[in-house]
């Protein structure tokens, strides 16, 4: 069963109002001025990676495709626009039959990117493309920021499982998207049931401190949990005294105890002590899970600790200090008339302050060294050099308004693991530095 087709409450019937007022006023002026039908090319890119980040992660593409399909101005939406006098009646009539009929190309979801990478290329009439700016950026900026943080955490974890548990630290709908993005970046499970239902991500969870505190004794709490969930459950051992709780956990569950969770204190020191105690009590296979405001730096600091899994919340769903990727959606080419055969002319904003852009419909390729390791992101607007033809990054996602590249989430997750593995080893360094490979324009 494809849960994405179930129409959950986390979805909305239409994404058309996930946009800015001025998208519609531009449309009205373009319709009146005669430029609405000009063939245009818009591209999504970022001028720079967040400070200290060595690569970015493309995430949210699947959600963008859903949003484009659902970008419909139904009767209620048209009524709202009319009531607020946002645009005139001819524009409302045009919007009522809006369906994106153009083409979209982009980096495959899960791929890595760098400054200037044309992550998404939207082609069609000016009118149909300009309306999609805000919804596309809102998805890609959020999801890519979460996926980048998740990727850094996955690298720091060194293969140990990561649990996404940030739903209570963000907006309830953003939490679902964040869980999806975290899974793309390398997390293995989530605590968010809506994310599990919507995207099929494995869900986990056992108990919080409240469960222990509602019982008369810690032993009573552990007994109730083990009787209900089995000896392989995970018992939370830091409500009172950790050493006593570990002793009780093994006494109640026996050596078959599944795991203990530590949510406070000096995690490095406590993990070593708990591991020693579990082994001495015969629970040698019991795992240790740590939580407590972790980020990639804290995870890296626990590399030598006997920790089996990490649970991450706040820092993950806020992008670990970088909640957006500063992606922009800019027109880079347009025809000089509405004639479908009119040639495309490169266009670009020229201004000071670092907000310039490069005109022209772009291609992108990743040049590899003799060992198959990435050495440069190459971007151009003309013919693709013969030696880079097989290394091009953009794939077609939408053709003539129809989605042609929807993928299972596990495929996306595996792609990211491969893409990260093909970067130079310095990509995994958490110290501040420049992009792990340069961007070259040809």
């Amino acid at each position: 069963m494809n849960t994405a087709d179930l129409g959950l409450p986390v979805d909305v019937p239409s994404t058309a109002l996930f946009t800015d007022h001025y998208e519609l006023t531009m449309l009205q002026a373009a319709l009146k001025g005669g430029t609405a039908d000009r063939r245009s090319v818009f591209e999504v890119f970022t001028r720079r990676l967040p400070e200290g980040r060595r690569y970015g992660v493309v995430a949210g593409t699947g959600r963008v495709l859903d949003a484009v399909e659902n970008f419909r101005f139904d009767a209620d939406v048209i009524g709202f626009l009319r009531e607020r006098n946002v645009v005139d009646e001819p524009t409302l009539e045009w919007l009522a039959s809006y369906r994106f009929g153009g083409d979209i190309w982009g980096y495959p979801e899960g791929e890595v990117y760098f400054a200037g990478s044309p992550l998404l290329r939207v082609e069609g009439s000016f009118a149909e493309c300009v309306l999609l700016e805000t919804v596309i950026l809102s998805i890609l900026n959020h999801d890519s920021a979460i996926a980048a943080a998740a990727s850094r955490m996955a690298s720091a974890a060194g293969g140990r499982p990561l649990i996404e548990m940030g739903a209570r630290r963000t907006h309830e709908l953003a939490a679902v998207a964040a869980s999806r993005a975290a899974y793309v970046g390398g997390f293995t499970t989530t605590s968010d049931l809506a994310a599990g239902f919507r995207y099929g991500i494995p869900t986990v969870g056992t108990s919080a401190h409240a469960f222990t505190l509602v019982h008369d004794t810690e032993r009573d709490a552990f007994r109730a949990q083990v009787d209900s969930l089995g000896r392989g459950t995970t018992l939370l051992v830091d409500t009172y005294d950790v050493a006593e709780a570990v002793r009780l956990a093994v006494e109640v569950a026996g050596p078959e105890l599944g795991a203990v969770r530590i949510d406070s204190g000096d995690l490095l020191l406590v993990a070593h002590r708990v591991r020693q105690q579990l082994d001495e009590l015969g629970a040698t296979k019991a795992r240790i899970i740590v939580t407590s405001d972790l980020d990639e730096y804290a995870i890296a600091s626990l590399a030598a600790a006997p920790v089996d899994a990490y649970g991450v919340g706040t820092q993950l769903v806020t992008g670990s200090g970088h909640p957006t990727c500063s992606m922009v959606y800019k027109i880079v080419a347009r025809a000089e008339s509405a004639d479908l055969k009119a040639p495309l002319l490169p266009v670009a904003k020229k201004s000071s302050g670092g907000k310039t852009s490069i005109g022209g419909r772009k291609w992108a390729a990743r040049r590899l060294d003799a060992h198959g390791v990435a050495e440069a992101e190459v971007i151009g607007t003309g013919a693709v050099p013969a030696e880079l033809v097989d290394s091009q990054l953009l794939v077609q996602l939408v053709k003539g308004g129809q989605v042609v590249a929807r993928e299972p989430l596990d495929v996306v997750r595996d792609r990211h693991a491969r893409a990260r593995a093909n970067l130079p080893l310095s990509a995994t360094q958490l110290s501040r530095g420049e992009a792990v490979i340069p961007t070259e324009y040809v």
Side-chain angles (χ1 to χ4, degrees):
M1 179 177 62
N2 183 1
T3 56
D5 294 331
L6 293 179
L8 306 184
V10 294
D11 287 330
V12 293
S14 168
T15 54
L17 291 183
F18 290 167
T19 191
D20 288 307
H21 186 115
Y22 80 165
E23 309 291 2
L24 300 191
T25 54
M26 279 193 289
L27 169 66
Q28 177 177 313
L31 288 170
K32 188 172 183 179
T35 55
D37 291 331
R38 285 189 175 184
R39 191 158 54 100
S40 302
V41 179
F42 287 78
E43 288 176 352
V44 175
F45 62 93
T46 184
R47 296 184 175 94
R48 63 192 65 84
L49 294 176
E51 184 181 356
R53 294 292 168 88
R54 298 176 182 268
Y55 63 91
V57 181
V58 180
T61 308
R63 296 207 308 120
V64 166
L65 298 179
D66 292 341
V68 171
E69 280 190 331
N70 291 323
F71 206 88
R72 306 282 187 265
F73 293 83
D74 58 28
D76 288 341
V77 172
I78 294 294
F80 165 78
L81 297 175
R82 179 179 288 114
E83 177 186 341
R84 297 296 180 91
N85 196 31
V86 174
V87 289
D88 60 19
E89 282 300 323
T91 305
L92 291 177
E93 291 178 11
W94 189 93
L95 290 172
S97 60
Y98 176 85
R99 300 290 186 273
F100 178 75
D103 299 333
I104 299 178
W105 294 70
Y107 277 39
E109 188 168 15
E111 185 57 84
V112 297
Y113 71 88
F114 301 90
S117 298
L119 305 180
L120 205 70
R121 191 174 71 219
V122 182
E123 305 181 18
S125 71
F126 174 81
E128 63 183 337
C129 295
V130 74
L131 294 180
L132 299 177
E133 175 180 4
T134 303
V135 69
I136 286 176
L137 288 179
S138 66
I139 293 172
L140 292 182
N141 267 313
H142 174 269
D143 289 22
S144 296
I146 307 304
S151 180
R152 284 162 59 87
M153 293 174 188
S155 291
R160 295 171 178 174
L162 290 158
I163 306 163
E164 184 280 312
M165 47 195 303
R168 65 191 62 192
R169 297 291 187 252
T170 189
H171 183 279
E172 68 272 18
L173 300 187
V176 182
S179 181
R180 181 186 184 280
Y183 192 68
V184 169
F187 274 59
T188 50
T189 54
T190 180
S191 66
D192 192 334
L193 289 175
F197 187 41
R198 179 68 176 84
Y199 296 115
I201 302 170
T203 60
V204 294
T206 50
S207 66
H209 293 102
F211 184 76
T212 300
L213 294 169
V214 77
H215 288 82
D216 294 334
T217 67
E218 196 167 37
R219 181 193 299 274
D220 290 343
F222 288 173
R223 171 56 62 194
Q225 185 172 327
V226 169
D227 287 348
S228 175
L229 301 177
R231 297 178 183 274
T233 191
T234 298
L235 296 175
L236 182 59
V237 295
D238 73 328
T239 305
Y240 304 116
D241 178 81
V242 173
E244 175 62 13
V246 171
R247 187 190 69 77
L248 285 172
V250 177
E251 180 180 308
V252 170
E256 298 85 8
L257 172 65
V260 295
R261 178 163 74 94
I262 307 167
D263 188 51
S264 60
D266 183 337
L267 296 179
L268 179 62
L269 176 63
V270 175
H272 279 287
R273 288 177 175 174
V274 168
R275 180 73 272 160
Q276 180 179 352
Q277 186 180 8
L278 287 170
D279 291 345
E280 291 173 349
L281 293 172
T284 57
K285 294 183 179 180
R287 297 175 301 126
I288 297 176
I289 300 170
V290 297
T291 50
S292 185
D293 293 326
L294 298 178
D295 61 10
E296 60 266 47
Y297 301 101
I299 292 170
S301 73
L302 293 168
V307 171
D308 298 286
Y310 307 90
V312 189
T314 303
Q315 292 301 318
L316 175 64
V317 299
T318 57
S320 194
H322 295 290
T324 180
C325 301
S326 299
M327 294 175 186
V328 294
Y329 181 95
K330 298 296 182 182
I331 186 170
V332 296
R334 54 88 174 170
E336 51 189 5
S337 72
D339 187 343
L340 294 179
K341 296 181 180 180
L344 287 171
L345 304 175
V347 294
K349 175 182 177 181
K350 294 182 179 180
S351 66
S352 59
K355 284 196 170 185
T356 58
S357 56
I358 299 174
R361 183 178 184 271
K362 299 174 192 67
W363 53 264
R366 188 161 299 143
R367 191 171 68 239
L368 309 178
D369 65 16
H371 303 287
V373 177
E375 64 178 13
E377 194 87 339
V378 186
I379 299 170
T381 56
V384 182
E387 67 273 17
L388 294 176
V389 168
D390 294 333
S391 301
Q392 293 185 78
L393 291 163
L394 278 78
V395 298
Q396 189 154 26
L397 304 171
V398 176
K399 183 176 183 180
Q402 300 298 312
V403 174
V404 296
R406 189 170 273 114
E407 299 177 303
L409 201 54
D410 282 332
V411 171
V412 174
R413 187 171 183 271
D414 291 344
R415 177 182 293 121
H416 175 64
R418 293 193 303 270
R420 188 177 62 204
N422 286 337
L423 294 175
L425 284 175
S426 57
T428 62
Q429 292 179 336
L430 297 181
S431 57
R432 293 188 179 278
E434 299 299 320
V436 71
I437 62 173
T439 300
E440 299 178 0
Y441 294 93
V442 298

